[in-house]
Amino acid sequence: MKPSDAIEEQKLSAEQESELKHPPVEEAVEPVDPEKLKEDVEERARQRPILQKIAAKIRKEDAPYREIIINSESLEKRVAVMSEGILEKFELERAGDDRLVGAIFKGKIQNLEPGLKAAFVDIGMPKNAFLHYWDILPQADSSVEVVRDTRTDAQRQKKDKITVKDIPGLFPIGAEILVQITKSTIGSKGPRTTTNIALPGRFLVLMPFGGQCGVSRKIESDKERKRLKEILRRLSIPEGMGVIIRTAGEGKRWTYFVRDLSILLNQWNEIQARLDAAKQPTCLYKEPDILERTVRDFLTENVDRVLIDNKDDGQRILDLVSRVSKRSAGKIAVFEENIPIFERFNIEKQIEQTFLRRVPLSSGGEIVIEETEALVAIDVNTGSHKQQKDNNNNFILQVNLEAALEAARQIRLRNIGGLIILDFIDMKNRKDRMAVYKKMKTEMEKDKAKCHVLQISQLGIMQMTRQRHKESVSSGLYSTCPYCTGRGTVKSARTMSVEIQRRLTNVIRRLRTHLDDEGEDIWLRVFCHPHALERLRHEDERILLEIEESYNVKLSFRADPAYHVENFKIIDARTGQELR
């Protein structure tokens, strides 16, 4: 990966050297023009196949155009769920990440804490899992309407008689126990678990020890609920097991549920076989990767298109979808343009706001988001329109309503959990405060995580809690700052490696479009921090070699500890020109 000896080594200018020794300059992120997004979405909606257009009309006349855009790279896969061109859900997964939430383990009770009413369980990981006594008792889910009882006599007696006081006797230290992780390791805390096992499928959720069957209350149509209840009564469900029909099952035929139940039962049989063979605490089952979870959890009838920029992963998604819904297979497409997929659909700009402290609102106001150890604070400001509030008595209400909408969206995108405090602009009118409260409550009902929202106080403060399953998105992308020993954060070497590779790919693609001879060699030199270079030369060396081979490009690197860890430059090795 060295440029030819015939090419004179290019050095950075004094100004470029100085820039690399400081954090990259943050450019102001302007909100994406809603009108531009709307125009782009309308154009894409017009290009749908005629059958999809007819189905959308039948389903709901004013249904928004929904897309799932997937950026699949070697180290990182990113999924964006879009509604009318606006980013509604963002998830990412990196190679080697532990998919702990939903994983099932064979464990052993290591310690009992009567004061905490909890057990600590050895599940074969460095940290023992936390198991509250309440999570051992059979639980009823208020979000599900129970339709059918399949409990055994033993299960009925257990539910009626067992109490928290009985737990230490039933599960003494050293006892083996089957647990499922409900909350991943966060900071110094071990994972939280439950004995109420649940296996999610495409249309059903199987609860091997549940003993009760029901329909999700999120399905609102009485006629549809009645039809699904009848299907649930006809399904051949083993005694003692429970099944819940998910919202994705709305409108589906009988055969879809039979097929999904068969897949889940086979999955459970495999888990039981591993459990019988395991001698020590170990993992028996892990949730599928982000691609399969996307198909399972997000690809519903309301989704108009799924677009992915990797042919192999696109074929894999197509195979997965074809197993459960051949009609949905026509929605899968591979993105083949040269422009990066997230740039093409204005997703990258929207994601940038996910990591900003200040998020601008289209009215001119802004919300400021601060994550702390104990809680997350969201402050609403009038921003540039502060002087205009006297001209419009309803301006404060409008800003607060817009802030509620954006705050709910940012909470979902950033995966913020725990206690959240929102400081709205003061409103004297109780009617206005109730309007903002109802708006926030309505928006948070779209969230799959459980939320509890309290009304706005006279001080303009709203308190809410959101279920936390895993760390927020930002905590997965940043590591402790080596400059300030924990007082701030900088991007990790892994993140910088991803960014350098992505920038290299983008730069090479653009250069290729301007070259007359597609076979002509390209020589690039990358200047970066030693931490990033160490990652590139060891763990990610194979990917760099693939980039060189795929694009007929020669890469060389120069590292200097004086460079800032978050900064890098890509230089044309022949001309010395900086490439962005």
Side-chain angles (χ1 to χ4, degrees):
M1 291 190 291
K2 291 183 178 180
S4 171
D5 295 336
I7 299 174
E8 183 181 353
E9 182 175 354
Q10 296 293 332
K11 296 183 179 180
L12 293 176
S13 66
E15 183 181 356
Q16 290 173 329
E17 289 277 2
S18 176
E19 286 178 1
L20 281 170
K21 295 176 183 179
H22 297 85
V25 178
E26 286 192 9
E27 298 178 3
V29 180
E30 297 294 332
V32 182
D33 184 6
E35 291 300 320
K36 178 69 167 62
L37 290 178
K38 187 177 179 181
E39 289 175 9
D40 292 344
V41 166
E42 288 174 352
E43 177 61 30
R44 296 200 293 273
R46 282 194 291 270
Q47 296 173 2
R48 284 180 295 178
I50 186 67
L51 290 178
Q52 285 190 24
K53 292 180 182 179
I54 294 171
K57 290 285 185 183
I58 294 172
R59 185 173 69 242
K60 196 175 181 182
E61 196 71 33
D62 59 347
Y65 184 73
R66 294 178 63 83
E67 300 168 288
I68 298 175
I69 310 296
I70 303 174
N71 172 219
S72 178
E73 300 173 341
S74 301
L75 277 182
E76 186 175 80
K77 290 177 173 42
R78 301 185 294 173
V79 175
V81 180
M82 314 283 287
S83 178
E84 296 288 1
I86 297 173
L87 185 63
E88 291 292 333
K89 180 77 176 175
F90 173 65
E91 289 192 359
L92 65 84
E93 184 175 279
R94 290 176 171 175
D97 280 354
D98 286 327
R99 301 187 296 274
L100 286 180
V101 176
I104 299 173
F105 286 81
K106 176 181 181 178
K108 183 180 289 186
I109 302 293
Q110 195 77 9
N111 192 23
L112 296 171
E113 291 289 346
L116 294 174
K117 288 186 172 57
F120 288 91
V121 184
D122 176 13
I123 57 174
M125 293 181 62
K127 293 180 180 178
N128 288 335
F130 180 86
L131 177 62
H132 198 282
Y133 288 172
W134 287 110
D135 292 323
I136 298 177
L137 299 176
Q139 293 180 349
D141 190 345
S142 60
S143 65
V144 175
E145 180 186 358
V146 177
V147 176
R148 179 178 169 188
D149 195 332
T150 58
R151 287 178 297 172
T152 62
D153 293 338
Q155 284 176 319
R156 286 189 176 90
Q157 292 174 4
K158 181 180 178 182
K159 185 172 183 181
D160 293 339
K161 295 182 179 180
I162 189 172
T163 65
V164 171
K165 295 179 181 178
D166 302 322
I167 299 298
L170 293 170
F171 299 96
I173 293 175
E176 293 184 343
I177 190 169
L178 189 68
V179 295
Q180 184 173 33
I181 293 180
T182 57
K183 185 187 292 185
S184 184
T185 302
I186 299 176
S188 60
K189 298 177 182 177
R192 181 162 182 169
T193 58
T194 179
T195 60
N196 296 291
I197 309 297
L199 284 176
R202 180 75 178 87
F203 309 112
L204 301 172
V205 176
L206 176 68
M207 297 172 294
F209 310 119
Q212 290 183 327
C213 306
V215 178
S216 171
R217 295 187 187 276
K218 290 185 178 180
I219 299 174
E220 297 177 351
S221 170
D222 292 336
K223 184 178 179 181
E224 178 62 12
R225 294 182 67 82
K226 185 178 180 180
R227 186 187 74 88
L228 293 175
K229 288 176 186 178
E230 186 58 34
I231 288 176
L232 204 52
R233 294 187 183 99
R234 290 169 55 202
L235 283 174
S236 298
I237 301 169
E239 187 181 19
M241 291 192 177
V243 165
I244 296 171
I245 293 182
R246 305 180 67 180
T247 51
E250 191 171 1
K252 295 299 180 182
R253 297 192 304 271
W254 153 264
T255 51
Y256 286 91
F257 298 103
V258 173
R259 190 185 304 128
D260 208 31
L261 180 60
S262 176
I263 292 170
L264 290 172
L265 289 173
N266 289 335
Q267 201 173 70
W268 175 244
N269 290 335
E270 291 174 4
I271 293 171
Q272 282 189 309
R274 295 191 196 107
L275 176 63
D276 295 337
K279 304 298 181 184
Q280 298 293 330
T282 186
C283 180
L284 306 174
Y285 165 82
K286 271 192 177 182
E287 278 277 85
D289 68 7
I290 193 169
L291 296 181
E292 194 168 336
R293 293 199 312 273
T294 298
V295 171
R296 185 189 71 191
D297 297 336
F298 296 120
L299 183 54
T300 63
E301 287 297 319
N302 295 329
V303 172
D304 295 282
R305 182 172 71 158
V306 177
L307 202 57
I308 183 168
D309 61 356
N310 182 291
K311 288 185 178 179
D312 293 337
D313 287 335
Q315 185 59 48
R316 184 175 156 219
I317 289 177
L318 190 61
D319 294 339
L320 288 168
V321 173
S322 299
R323 282 187 225 160
V324 292
S325 176
K326 291 184 179 180
R327 187 169 61 179
S328 296
K331 299 177 180 180
I332 314 301
V334 175
F335 180 79
E336 296 181 340
E337 296 180 29
N338 243 357
I339 305 171
I341 189 169
F342 272 29
E343 286 186 19
R344 171 66 177 79
F345 297 102
N346 286 311
I347 301 172
E348 210 72 70
K349 289 182 179 179
Q350 296 186 61
I351 291 175
E352 285 178 15
Q353 291 186 355
T354 305
F355 307 108
L356 291 179
R357 180 171 169 269
R358 296 177 180 273
V359 179
L361 303 175
S362 57
S363 66
E366 65 177 11
I367 59 173
V368 183
I369 303 174
E370 295 277 6
E371 293 190 47
T372 68
E373 187 74 22
L375 54 83
V376 176
I378 301 178
D379 185 35
V380 182
N381 295 325
T382 53
S384 58
H385 284 257
K386 191 172 183 180
Q387 301 302 321
Q388 299 181 17
K389 61 183 180 180
D390 293 331
N391 301 332
N392 188 347
N393 294 329
N394 294 324
F395 177 72
I396 290 177
L397 174 60
Q398 292 172 2
V399 172
N400 281 338
L401 287 171
E402 188 182 354
L405 177 67
E406 184 62 28
R409 177 172 166 269
Q410 290 292 330
I411 287 168
R412 290 194 300 269
L413 290 177
R414 300 175 189 231
N415 193 28
I416 294 171
L419 178 61
I420 303 169
I421 303 295
L422 297 99
D423 183 11
F424 288 100
I425 304 169
D426 289 344
M427 295 171 287
K428 296 180 180 179
N429 193 329
R430 185 177 182 277
K431 182 180 177 181
D432 291 348
R433 293 199 297 270
M434 285 302 297
V436 174
Y437 165 70
K438 289 177 180 178
K439 180 69 172 178
M440 191 72 190
K441 197 170 178 64
T442 301
E443 291 301 317
M444 294 310 297
E445 284 173 355
K446 300 176 183 177
D447 201 334
K448 289 191 174 183
K450 293 180 180 178
C451 305
H452 182 57
V453 184
L454 298 181
Q455 293 186 20
I456 301 176
S457 69
Q458 291 184 346
L459 297 175
I461 302 294
M462 176 185 287
Q463 302 175 65
M464 64 173 288
T465 59
R466 182 175 183 268
Q467 188 179 25
R468 189 202 300 266
H469 289 298
K470 56 185 179 181
E471 291 184 321
S472 63
V473 173
S474 61
S475 63
L477 293 177
Y478 295 86
S479 61
T480 303
C481 176
Y483 298 164
C484 59
T485 62
R487 288 174 295 176
T489 56
V490 293
K491 294 177 184 176
S492 65
R494 190 180 184 188
T495 299
M496 289 307 303
S497 175
V498 170
E499 291 192 3
I500 290 171
Q501 292 170 45
R502 187 175 295 149
R503 178 83 67 82
L504 277 170
T505 305
N506 295 350
V507 164
I508 295 165
R509 284 179 177 177
R510 292 193 182 98
L511 285 175
R512 282 287 174 217
T513 59
H514 292 93
L515 290 176
D516 296 330
D517 182 6
E518 292 186 359
E520 183 180 345
D521 288 344
I522 296 175
W523 304 84
L524 300 178
R525 178 172 287 114
V526 180
F527 296 80
C528 61
H529 192 274
H531 290 175
L533 182 58
E534 184 179 0
R535 173 82 194 192
L536 288 163
R537 280 186 169 170
H538 292 86
E539 291 94 330
D540 304 335
E541 183 181 19
R542 177 183 58 80
I543 301 170
L544 291 177
L545 293 173
E546 288 175 1
I547 291 175
E548 286 188 315
E549 184 177 350
S550 300
Y551 295 98
N552 191 22
V553 62
K554 301 299 180 184
L555 302 175
S556 64
F557 295 83
R558 177 189 159 190
D560 190 330
Y563 297 161
H564 194 276
V565 292
E566 287 190 354
N567 218 338
F568 64 92
K569 300 281 184 186
I570 298 176
I571 304 295
D572 188 320
R574 287 192 174 105
T575 64
Q577 180 185 358
E578 182 180 347
L579 304 173
R580 295 180 182 274

